[in-house]
Amino acid sequence: CTKPQWDGRLDFPGNKTEFPEYKNQELTCTEGLKPSFPTVKCAKELQRVNSGKPKYGEVWWGKKSTSTWMRIEGGVQCLEILQVDPGTFEISSTSIKLNWTCRFPDACQGMRAMCRPAVPSSPPCEAEEVMGEEMSQGQEGTFTCSQLQPFTYYNVTIALPSNTIIYSECKRTKETVPDKPEELWLDPISGSLRWKALPSCKGDILGYQLNITARSAQDGGFLEMERLQVNGSITEHRLPEHGPGSRYVVSIRGVTAAGAGAASLWQFQSNSSDSQHPLDISCHSVHDISPSQGTAILSLRPITSDGVREHQLLVTMTHNGSVLESTCLGQPQPFRASQQPFNTSQQPFNTSQQPSTYLAAVLNLTTPMDFVLGDGTQGQGYHNAALRPGWNYTALLRLVHHSPQSEKFTCVCYSFSV
């Protein structure tokens, strides 16, 4: 019989081109592959009778290790010993898991699987070599590499005891949130906050989130809070100027596709080496208070002169400084008609019905004015509800500015008790 034109990766014994009939031939493939029929033999078969003379053709038969002889249709192919369905991969930031199926169970004895970094690691992104070994047999199984580094390429290989690699694939672990920025400083010349760029060890740095709280040294009742996100290539931000001695609290965190990481918190005072002193909260006082009417008169001034007119007047029933900061940033609840902070009938007051913070007024403020807080006027989403004797109050005049990259909340507080 003549050597058939099958898979070019097949090797016949002795590299012969002709073979005797009915003699078994053991086929092999290149490394990591197995022939679909490891053992074959040829025979002559009667095909037709032409002019009284028989015509014979060559026929090949094949046998697998556990099967009977069968006629080969379509040739012999070199097949992968191990199959891994790409759809079964489970990849996290610290692990790679795959399901495998062995086409030739006899050949899959003592397999060894491992994950190794595809490229050598270098500071600051150190990736330890992690070896996962699994001695497996049978037709299917699972292999998991754990304790891997995030956002790192690994070569996942499965090899036979002879070190023949029967599966190899390069996979990258998923991103996770970045570490917190460690190096921050204030440039005294430019007045900009600067920080050292985070490395892309745990994911591409998409940007930085900054929360800035500023208090003016000249006006303790002034509070400015800014939330913004800058591009990952930016490593500085100019701080708002509120004069010498102004105090700032800045938090900054890096952002990857997996989300924001831990924040670094920094406190400092402009033109001062004292960076640990807490921010002072000293609201404006209110003297003209009428407990019988449930009112107080606030002397309001526009917060800025940049043309923004709409000011909100928020009321919260506390003098707590941390609550004031969250109130300046927050969204007050709508005031419902059934919620009256001042009970004119002197009956027991239902504190569960009143909101802790509410919007008392929306003002088109361009010049200083005296505003009567608690006169009972109301409109869409706001209610200037009467004040209740015996309670502490803080009113915040707020200006909100939105842009595609930031939100700025500027508040002036007025503190009093009825």
Side-chain angles (χ1 to χ4, degrees), residues 215 219-222 280-286 319 321 324 393-396 412-416:
R215 283 193 176 275
D219 183 0
F222 178 90
D280 295 327
I281 298 176
S282 176
C283 295
H284 296 287
S285 59
V286 178
H319 290 170
L324 298 186
Y393 286 90
T394 302
L396 287 90
V412 176
C413 65
Y414 301 79
S415 181
F416 61 96

Side-chain angles (χ1 to χ4, degrees), residues 41-55:
K41 62 183 177 181
C42 70
K44 297 291 187 178
E45 184 178 82
L46 179 64
Q47 294 182 335
R48 65 179 182 275
V49 176
N50 187 13
S51 301
K53 296 182 180 180
K55 178 67 174 179

Side-chain angles (χ1 to χ4, degrees), residues 267-388:
Q267 297 187 58
F268 67 97
Q269 182 176 345
S270 61
N271 299 329
S272 172
S273 59
D274 178 12
S275 62
Q276 301 301 320
H277 194 279
L279 293 181
D280 295 327
I281 298 176
S282 176
C283 295
H284 296 287
S285 59
V286 178
H287 302 290
D288 197 349
I289 303 169
S290 175
S292 61
Q293 299 295 321
T295 61
I297 297 179
L298 309 179
S299 297
L300 305 180
R301 294 177 176 273
I303 293 177
T304 64
S305 57
D306 59 1
V308 180
R309 297 182 177 183
E310 183 177 286
H311 292 59
Q312 299 172 338
L313 188 64
L314 309 179
V315 177
T316 183
M317 298 168 191
T318 183
H319 290 170
N320 185 289
S322 60
V323 173
L324 298 186
E325 292 187 8
S326 62
T327 299
C328 187
L329 281 173
Q331 182 64 38
Q333 299 176 6
F335 204 108
R336 297 189 295 273
S338 62
Q339 295 171 329
Q340 295 289 344
F342 180 53
N343 187 343
T344 57
S345 66
Q346 303 302 318
Q347 296 298 316
F349 184 72
N350 186 357
T351 57
S352 65
Q353 288 186 337
Q354 71 179 61
S356 59
T357 302
Y358 60 93
L359 180 62
V362 178
L363 305 172
N364 186 13
L365 193 60
T366 57
T367 59
M369 67 173 292
D370 288 338
F371 179 81
V372 180
L373 182 64
D375 67 1
T377 57
Q378 56 186 305
Q380 183 65 38
Y382 69 87
H383 185 184
N384 189 12
L387 307 174
R388 179 175 184 259

